[in-house]
């Protein structure tokens, strides 16, 4: 990974606009990357890349400029251009349609990159993952209070990373650091929480084959390495809000890409498979399944367009999470419907449909499943 | 001790205390049963079934649980699976559904055999859907012999299989219906009327030559005998005939097994028949009787699929409860959160409804198409819902394979597909209800 020094001061939160020419260039870069590195994996859905292959593909993405933009240095390409469906959403969906695991990892690393720049972190650029709360923690009233009112949760609630407390996050092996907010008195110290040599990788996860649940315990003896000067909680909370919002949009875009691919496969199958003397697409039962997939795609595309730019305050985060809570449920139904079109074949790993279902399930459960997101919204909108 | 959001059971306003004030007659009608849902449902059974249910539950935890996760990760571990199947053979789990005098089901349970089998499958599947399918698929493979009522063939095949199996040398059966070009076509009457089977039987001296190809045959790689459905040369699906094929016969090939999403302990095999000779005395029933046998068996086998789905959902719910009771977020147990309690209660509602449907369908005297398909559709759809709800409830914690939650989803998902997709099963309900539905549309109906 290339070494890059960022300015120590916090960067202006307003992102530079991405020009149409830059966007077209980025799209072309992404398409070349996908064709070269991900298309073979898309065409062999039961193949699970080795840890070394996962590392190599992230290096290749970084080398191609997908993680660290060239036009706007320091801003990860995958998180900087949130112009509805034409920008990052389109790129993430394109990547996920080919290989959701890689797309997920690039998304989270790009978020880590964004976080470092957002904080003006004076550290060499490396593969940083952002800490994100689990769904239950997200919906806890004390965490909602932190985001909305800048009140640091008490240590007993352990809703933010604490010394001696265990941390867990999903990832491929292609990462170096986990960074997140540690409470220090009434303020927040954005810190390096874990490094890969000290983290344990547990067994496989449900979907996104190649990801593992990493765990580490934040050292109680050694102080965490700060990414930037300590900041008041009221200043740290908007960073967390934006991080959560960008992650939510990214997860939706990833699942969108997965279901787009599954839907294409289902339509092809419906136009190829014969049953009862005719193509199965003539049956209302199959049309209903195809419709389920289309409804999920159209609804999610509309939601992503409506969501627009990443949220910077609690109210707009609630809007994004509301859209996400519906979109992921629809996308899971869409993936299942696409799989059902294939009958028994869809259940077999070599078709890729069952993988789409598992990937959608995993993306839905990450950083807040639907019920957690809804509780979060209710609690954020209730009076204190 | 109490759960957050609820009164202490010792409080006077708790129903546990308040109901003590009721007179004995009222307490006969309304009661408090401080027992789990599983235990409460056991009380609905006869004492002998109740004991059998407890025995199966204990057996599943003692024998299946230590192996389930490892076999799911390594479904190609033939030695582990073979060892498990030998244990099933010795313990009578591969022969209990056989008719008397071979069946190893306790005599007192024979009159309630379908319900007992549903109970067995629920308990086994609660620990591992794939291992339960090994037993279920074996039973399915034997069903043609029992359904066709050919006593001579049954005596020739089942008796020695029984003896060997009980000695701990399991003789496995499989059921080969699905073809690469026909899954739903061989399960639905209208589709079958337009379908041309790719597995053909040609007459030859003393028997038949089979040529063709079957896929997704559960247990087809381990089976000693496979019930193969084929049409007669030059004829349509009305000529479907069931042949009992020995897998060591020349011309029989198991080409591969599939890598499945779930229920991975039971392998789905791809079988080829190349001029495979089947003697006349291995025709199950009579020539051209195969379609009737097949449709009858689907009516019988859809209830066990429902029971298996119920077991998967039950097991996933149990593991979810254990995690919710032991996981703390924000300084409190998940189980103490009202939203979690609501989600858990909904799982109990779903599992309880599934069990009611399965026990009703398994407890009826005959397997009726409508009831069997209703049980299969309802339980498989609800099982997937319960497992999805569990993933939602636990979030990232439910995604780890080690937690045993995500496996529930993968296992449950197959129940919506095999034994006829749920779409085909819904059409089977309409087919079976045709006369009644048409009567509603007739002018005489007056509406």
């Amino acid at each position: 990974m290339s070494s890059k020094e960022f300015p120590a001061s916090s960067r202006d939160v307003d992102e530079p606009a991405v020009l149409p020419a830059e966007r077209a260039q980025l799209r072309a870069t992404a398409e070349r990357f996908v064709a070269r590195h991900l298309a073979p994996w898309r065409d062999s859905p039961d193949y699970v890349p080795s840890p070394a292959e996962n590392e190599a593909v992230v290096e290749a993405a970084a080398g191609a400029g997908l993680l660290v933009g060239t036009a706007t240095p320091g801003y990860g390409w995958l998180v900087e251009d949130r112009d509805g469906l034409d920008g990052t959403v389109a790129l993430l969906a394109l990547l996920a349609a080919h290989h959701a695991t890689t797309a997920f990892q690039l998304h989270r690393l790009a978020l880590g990159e964004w976080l470092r720049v957002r904080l003006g972190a004076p550290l060499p650029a490396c593969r940083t993952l952002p800490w994100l709360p689990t769904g239950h923690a997200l919906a806890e009233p004390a965490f909602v209070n932190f985001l909305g009112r800048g009140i640091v949760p008490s240590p007993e609630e352990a809703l933010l990373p604490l010394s001696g407390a265990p941390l867990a996050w999903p990832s491929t092996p292609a990462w170096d650091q986990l960074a997140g907010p540690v409470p220090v008195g009434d303020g927040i110290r954005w810190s390096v929480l874990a490094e890969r040599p000290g983290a344990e990788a547990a067994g496989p996860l449900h979907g996104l084959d190649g990801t593992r649940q990493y765990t580490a315990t934040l050292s109680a003896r050694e102080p965490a390495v700060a990414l930037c000067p300590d900041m008041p909680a009221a200043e740290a909370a908007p960073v967390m809000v934006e991080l959560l919002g960008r992650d939510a949009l990214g997860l939706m875009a990833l699942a969108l890409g997965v279901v787009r691919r599954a839907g294409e496969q289902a339509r092809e199958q419906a136009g190829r498979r014969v049953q009862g003397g005719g193509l199965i697409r003539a049956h209302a039962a199959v049309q209903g399944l195809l419709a389920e997939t289309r409804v999920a795609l159209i609804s999610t595309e509309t939601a992503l367009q409506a969501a627009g730019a990443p949220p910077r305050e609690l109210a707009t985060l609630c809007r994004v999470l509301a859209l996400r809570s519906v979109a992921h449920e629809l996308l899971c139904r869409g993936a299942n419907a696409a799989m059902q079109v294939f009958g028994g074949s869809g259940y077999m790993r070599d078709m890729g449909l069952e993988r789409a279902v598992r990937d959608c399930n995993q993306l839905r459960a990450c950083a807040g499943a639907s019920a957690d997101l809804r509780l979060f919204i209710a609690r954020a909108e209730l009076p204190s | 001790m109490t759960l957050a959001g609820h009164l202490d059971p010792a409080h006077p306003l708790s129903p546990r205390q308040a109901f003590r004030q009721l007179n004995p007659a009222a307490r006969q009608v309304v009661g408090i049963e401080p027992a789990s849902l599983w235990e409460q449902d056991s009380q609905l059974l006869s004492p002998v079934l109740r004991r059998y249910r407890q025995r199966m539950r204990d057996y599943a935890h003692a024998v299946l649980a230590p192996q389930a996760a490892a076999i799911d990760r390594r479904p190609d571990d033939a030695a582990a699976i073979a060892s498990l199947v030998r244990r099933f053979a010795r313990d009578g789990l591969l022969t209990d559904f056989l008719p008397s005098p071979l069946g190893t089901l306790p005599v007192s349970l024979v009159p309630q055999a379908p319900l007992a089998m549903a109970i067995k499958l629920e308990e086994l599947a609660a620990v591992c859907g794939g291992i339960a399918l090994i037993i279920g698929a074996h039973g399915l493979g034997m069903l043609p012999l029992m359904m066709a009522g050919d006593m001579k063939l049954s005596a020739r095949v089942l008796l020695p299989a029984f003896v060997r199996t009980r000695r701990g040398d399991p003789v496995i059966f499989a059921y080969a219906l699905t073809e690469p070009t026909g899954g739903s076509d061989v399960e639905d009457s209208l589709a079958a009327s337009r379908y041309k089977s790719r597995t053909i039987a040609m007459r030859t001296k003393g028997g038949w030559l089979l040529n063709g190809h079957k896929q997704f045959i559960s247990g087809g790689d381990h089976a000693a005998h496979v019930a193969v459905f084929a049409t007669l040369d030059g004829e349509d699906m009305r000529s479907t005939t069931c042949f009992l094929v020995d897998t060591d016969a020349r011309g029989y090939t198991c080409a591969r097994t599939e890598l499945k999403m779930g229920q991975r302990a039971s392998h789905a095999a791809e079988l080829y028949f190349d001029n495979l000779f089947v003697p006349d005395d291995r025709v199950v029933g009579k020539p051209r009787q195969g379609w009737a046998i097949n449709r009858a068996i689907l009516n019988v086998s859809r209830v066990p699929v429902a029971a298996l789905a119920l077991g998967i959902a039950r097991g996933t719910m149990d593991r979810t409860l254990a995690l919710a009771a032991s996981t703390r977020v924000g300084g409190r147990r998940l189980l103490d959160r009202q939203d979690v309690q609501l989600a858990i209660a909904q799982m109990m509602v779903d599992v309880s409804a599934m069990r009611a449907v399965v026990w009703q369908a398994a407890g009826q005297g005959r397997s009726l198409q409508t009831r069997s398909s209703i049980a299969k559709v309802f339980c498989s759809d609800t099982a997937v819902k319960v497992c999805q709800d569990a993933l939602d409830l636990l979030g990232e914690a439910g995604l780890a394979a080690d937690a045993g939650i995500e496996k529930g989803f993968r296992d449950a998902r197959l129940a919506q597909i095999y034994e006829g997709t749920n779409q085909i099963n819904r059409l089977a309900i309409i087919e079976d209800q045709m006369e009644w539905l048409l009567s509603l549309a007739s002018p005489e109906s007056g509406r």
Side-chain angles (χ1 to χ4, degrees):
Chain A
M1 197 76 188
S2 63
S3 178
K4 188 190 294 282
E5 292 288 335
F6 297 125
S9 62
S10 181
R11 185 179 283 271
D12 186 346
V13 294
D14 288 330
E15 292 174 16
V18 176
L19 302 173
E22 290 176 319
R23 185 178 293 153
Q25 187 185 0
L26 182 58
R27 175 81 190 186
T29 302
E31 284 175 351
R32 279 196 300 276
F33 170 78
V34 157
R36 179 166 177 199
H37 297 282
L38 302 187
W41 291 349
R42 183 198 65 181
D43 297 335
S44 305
D46 54 345
Y47 180 70
V48 180
S50 68
E53 288 172 310
N54 276 313
E55 296 242 17
V57 79
V58 167
E59 292 296 325
L66 288 171
L67 276 177
V68 182
T70 51
T72 51
Y75 277 78
W77 272 117
L78 293 178
V79 289
E80 72 182 278
D81 181 14
R82 290 279 176 192
D83 188 6
L85 289 176
D86 294 332
T88 307
V89 165
L91 289 186
L92 283 176
L94 173 73
L95 293 168
H98 286 76
H99 198 247
T101 302
T102 300
F104 172 77
Q105 192 68 9
L106 292 177
H107 159 65
R108 284 281 168 94
L109 289 174
L111 265 188
E113 198 63 36
W114 170 84
L115 178 64
R116 295 165 58 81
V117 175
R118 175 72 174 79
L119 297 171
L123 290 171
C126 63
R127 298 176 305 182
T128 302
L129 289 171
W131 172 88
L132 291 154
T134 64
H136 290 298
L138 174 77
E140 279 290 301
F143 194 82
V144 179
N145 267 337
F146 166 58
L147 294 184
R149 301 176 183 89
I151 302 168
V152 177
S154 72
E156 293 73 34
E157 289 166 316
L159 295 171
L160 291 175
L162 291 170
S163 295
L167 304 164
W169 66 98
S171 177
T172 75
W175 65 283
D176 295 317
Q177 294 179 341
L178 177 77
V182 177
V184 180
D186 289 338
I188 293 293
R189 178 174 298 159
W190 291 91
S191 312
V192 175
L193 305 174
E195 293 184 301
R196 194 166 60 140
E200 303 253 339
L205 298 175
H206 177 64
L208 301 176
D209 293 343
T211 55
R212 294 278 189 277
Q213 189 81 351
Y214 280 85
T215 55
T217 301
L218 190 55
S219 173
R221 288 191 300 274
E222 296 171 30
V225 176
L227 288 169
C228 58
D230 292 356
M231 57 174 68
E235 201 178 306
V239 180
M240 198 70 219
V241 165
E242 195 168 349
L243 186 64
L244 286 166
R246 286 174 180 272
D247 187 53
L249 290 167
L251 294 172
M252 285 164 70
L254 294 172
L256 175 72
V258 170
V259 178
R260 272 184 184 162
R261 167 74 179 150
E264 281 168 18
Q265 289 180 276
R267 278 198 302 282
E268 287 167 13
Q269 174 75 353
R272 186 172 52 216
R273 176 78 171 180
V274 171
Q275 186 193 311
L279 292 173
I280 60 172
R281 70 182 178 200
H283 297 288
V286 173
Q287 291 163 3
L289 295 169
L290 294 175
E292 192 91 66
T293 305
R294 286 300 298 153
V295 166
L297 291 174
I298 292 167
S299 303
T300 306
E301 286 164 358
T302 307
L304 282 164
Q305 263 170 333
R312 289 181 179 158
E313 55 194 31
L314 198 59
T316 43
L317 176 62
C318 286
R319 181 179 152 87
V320 168
L321 297 188
L323 293 170
R324 186 180 168 225
S325 76
V326 176
H328 277 280
E329 288 184 357
L330 289 173
L331 290 165
C332 282
R333 282 169 56 180
N336 271 291
M339 177 175 156
Q340 194 75 3
V341 169
F342 282 75
S345 304
Y347 197 71
M348 308 307 162
R349 288 213 158 179
D350 51 4
M351 298 303 291
L353 277 303
E354 65 85 32
R355 182 175 178 154
V357 169
R358 290 186 291 112
D359 287 348
C360 280
N361 282 347
Q362 183 145 330
L363 292 166
R364 168 175 168 166
C366 277
S370 307
D372 298 312
L373 301 180
R374 286 167 186 167
L375 265 185
F376 177 92
I377 293 162
R379 286 169 176 168
E381 293 181 351
L382 286 172
S384 169
Chain B
M1 283 244 301
T2 187
L3 284 172
H6 300 271
L7 272 180
D8 188 319
H11 192 283
L13 289 178
S14 162
R16 284 161 179 74
Q17 304 306 321
F19 281 13
R20 291 182 177 180
Q21 298 168 23
L22 296 174
N23 64 45
R27 279 190 297 200
Q28 288 293 314
V29 180
V30 181
I32 287 288
E33 187 75 51
S36 70
L37 180 62
W38 189 91
E39 288 162 340
Q40 287 184 10
D41 281 350
S42 266
Q43 296 301 317
L44 303 173
L45 299 169
S46 65
V48 63
L49 266 176
R50 202 180 307 158
R51 286 194 296 276
Y52 178 73
R53 189 174 190 229
Q54 182 67 51
R55 200 161 67 244
M56 283 298 115
R57 185 189 199 184
D58 295 343
Y59 184 89
H61 282 278
V63 178
L64 276 64
Q67 308 237 38
I71 291 178
D72 179 61
R73 275 196 298 274
R74 287 281 318 277
D76 56 345
D77 187 347
I81 293 171
S83 163
L84 204 52
V85 174
R86 278 196 299 275
R87 173 81 190 263
F88 294 154
R90 286 195 301 274
D91 295 340
L93 270 73
L94 300 179
T95 43
D96 49 6
F97 40 77
L98 287 173
S100 181
L102 299 182
T104 47
L105 198 65
V107 174
S108 54
L109 282 175
V110 169
Q112 303 175 84
L115 183 53
M117 291 302 99
I119 285 169
K120 177 178 86 168
L121 279 175
E122 178 193 335
E123 294 309 322
L124 299 181
V127 172
C128 179
I131 297 175
L133 179 60
I134 292 176
I135 292 176
H138 166 67
L140 178 66
M142 284 182 161
L143 267 177
L145 286 172
M146 295 189 266
M147 297 292 286
D150 184 337
M151 297 306 288
K152 285 183 183 170
L153 179 58
S154 295
R156 270 202 320 277
V157 176
L158 289 182
L159 189 57
F162 172 82
V163 171
R164 270 180 58 192
T165 300
R166 292 295 286 145
R167 278 204 310 254
D169 177 17
V171 179
I172 300 297
F173 288 70
Y175 189 86
L177 177 67
T178 303
E179 304 186 345
T181 52
S184 298
D185 277 338
V186 293
E187 289 161 342
D188 175 74
S189 296
L190 177 65
S193 71
R194 297 165 179 169
Y195 180 64
K196 186 169 171 54
S197 173
R198 304 298 197 272
T199 307
I200 308 294
M202 288 179 64
R203 199 75 178 100
T204 189
K205 186 180 178 186
W208 303 83
L209 284 178
L210 282 190
N211 282 285
H213 183 186
K214 297 282 184 184
Q215 73 172 7
F216 308 151
I217 307 308
S218 295
D221 54 337
H222 297 305
H225 306 290
V226 181
V228 177
F229 290 82
T231 53
L232 305 186
D233 187 30
E235 299 187 39
D236 62 20
M237 286 288 285
R238 284 173 295 187
S239 71
T240 301
T241 302
C242 181
F243 299 90
L244 190 68
V245 167
D246 295 344
T247 57
D248 59 1
R250 183 179 297 177
Y252 179 96
T253 307
C254 175
R256 64 190 280 260
T257 56
E258 305 280 350
L259 192 53
K260 293 157 56 182
M261 180 189 207
Q263 300 199 18
R264 290 154 62 97
S266 170
H267 301 165
E270 188 167 356
L271 309 179
Y272 285 86
F273 317 115
D274 180 14
N275 281 332
L276 172 70
F277 177 71
V278 186
D280 279 327
D281 63 4
R282 289 297 177 112
V283 172
V284 182
K286 296 175 183 167
R288 300 182 184 81
Q289 212 179 49
W291 183 253
I293 293 171
N294 174 44
R295 289 303 302 263
I297 285 174
L298 286 173
N299 282 4
V300 174
S301 64
R302 283 169 177 165
V303 178
V305 167
L308 206 137
L310 160 63
I312 293 167
R314 213 286 304 297
T316 304
M317 180 183 77
D318 290 348
R319 288 184 282 278
T320 303
L321 298 186
L323 264 174
S326 62
T327 304
R328 298 182 82 83
V329 174
R332 51 187 181 140
R333 284 183 307 204
L334 281 184
L335 199 52
D336 282 323
R337 293 170 52 137
Q338 191 178 69
D339 56 307
V340 172
Q341 292 174 5
L342 292 172
I344 286 172
Q346 185 57 49
M347 285 184 190
M348 290 180 182
V349 169
D350 290 336
V351 167
S352 191
M354 291 166 75
R355 192 173 286 137
V357 168
V358 169
W359 286 8
Q360 184 193 49
Q364 65 191 7
R366 294 160 65 208
S367 291
L368 301 174
Q369 185 165 313
T370 298
R371 283 210 184 283
S372 300
S373 287
I374 285 174
K376 194 268 186 188
V377 169
F378 177 75
C379 289
S380 57
D381 281 354
T382 310
V384 170
K385 174 186 177 294
V386 167
C387 296
Q388 186 87 65
D389 288 350
L391 287 173
D392 275 356
L393 194 155
L394 295 169
E396 287 95 332
L399 297 173
D402 297 342
I405 308 296
E406 64 85 36
K407 178 177 180 295
F409 181 92
R410 290 188 286 110
D411 285 354
R413 190 61 184 78
L414 182 54
Q416 291 178 312
I417 297 171
Y418 60 19
E419 242 47 31
T421 64
N422 281 4
Q423 286 74 21
I424 286 294
N425 271 271
R426 287 187 174 92
L427 293 176
I429 293 167
I430 300 301
E431 178 189 53
D432 195 44
Q433 296 292 311
M434 195 182 305
E435 287 80 1
W436 174 59
L437 293 172
L438 284 173
S439 77
L440 298 176
S442 70
E444 293 78 38
S445 68
R447 280 187 282 175

